[in-house]
Amino acid sequence: MTKHVLLLCIAIILSTSVSRAQDSWGVGVSGAYNFPLKSIGVGVRGQIPLGVKMAVSPQVRYFPKTNQINEVYAVVAFQYNLLNPYQERGHKRYIYKNNKPTVYTTIEVAYNQWINYLPTLSKNAKKNNILGNVGLGAAIGSSSVRLFAEAKYNVLWNETFGEIGLLVFPGTIRKNRYSSCPKIK
């Protein structure tokens, strides 16, 4: 079941990212840390703009069995930019201003599968869970590569966690503008 969830989420990230015929979609990786449980995890994500101030971010986070709790998350996050690095270029076209920070809020809906589930004192925790997370994030970098950090709060389990990662925006990577053809004298 877990492998199927991971494959489905990766397929969603890739298909929604590739289906955007713009230069502003991105893919990335992250490290996650659950503060109360002291768990370390890894993640992959996409970022698809819904406009200049909003984006949707399909994500998968995995906390391996080296932690006390072995679990996987399939997430759909909605981001709203509070501090926006985009500048209008004209005719409703915008450009990303390099090295200007982005500060955003995030709201997530997450499917969680607790792989090594054991009954606990918490009545809310089950093997399969639907969770809501809220948080704040920041990103900085160029139009091609950005570092991000997010702090989030799980409203159902009263847990805080954070993520730090890297996003790459392949459509904005500049190609050599000069021809490689030899000059004719």
Side-chain angles (χ1 to χ4, degrees), residues 124-164:
N124 295 332
K126 300 187 176 30
K127 183 170 178 63
N128 297 293
N129 304 279
I130 300 295
L131 306 171
N133 301 320
V134 295
L136 190 63
I140 192 159
S142 68
S143 59
S144 303
V145 179
R146 297 177 206 154
L147 295 171
F148 69 90
E150 297 174 345
K152 301 175 194 173
Y153 175 72
N154 177 326
V155 295
L156 183 64
W157 291 342
N158 194 24
E159 290 178 350
T160 55
F161 64 100
E163 279 191 89
I164 296 175

Side-chain angles (χ1 to χ4, degrees), residues 85-87 95-101 140-146 172 174:
Y86 290 92
Q87 180 180 29
I95 58 169
Y96 185 87
K97 296 298 283 180
N98 288 342
N99 297 317
K100 300 284 184 185
I140 192 159
S142 68
S143 59
S144 303
V145 179
R146 297 177 206 154
T172 62
R174 300 202 183 244

Side-chain angles (χ1 to χ4, degrees), residues 90-109:
H91 304 300
K92 295 190 178 188
R93 295 210 24 110
Y94 295 86
I95 58 169
Y96 185 87
K97 296 298 283 180
N98 288 342
N99 297 317
K100 300 284 184 185
T102 305
V103 176
Y104 55 90
T105 60
T106 182
I107 297 173
E108 297 181 350
V109 176

Side-chain angles (χ1 to χ4, degrees), residues 2 37 39 62-73 112-120 125-129 157:
T2 304
L37 299 176
S39 296
Y62 176 66
F63 290 83
K65 56 184 160 185
T66 55
N67 295 302
Q68 181 182 2
I69 295 179
N70 178 212
E71 58 190 343
V72 66
Y73 292 84
N112 164 265
Q113 183 181 56
W114 184 352
I115 298 167
N116 63 345
Y117 174 76
L118 295 170
T120 67
K126 300 187 176 30
K127 183 170 178 63
N128 297 293
N129 304 279
W157 291 342

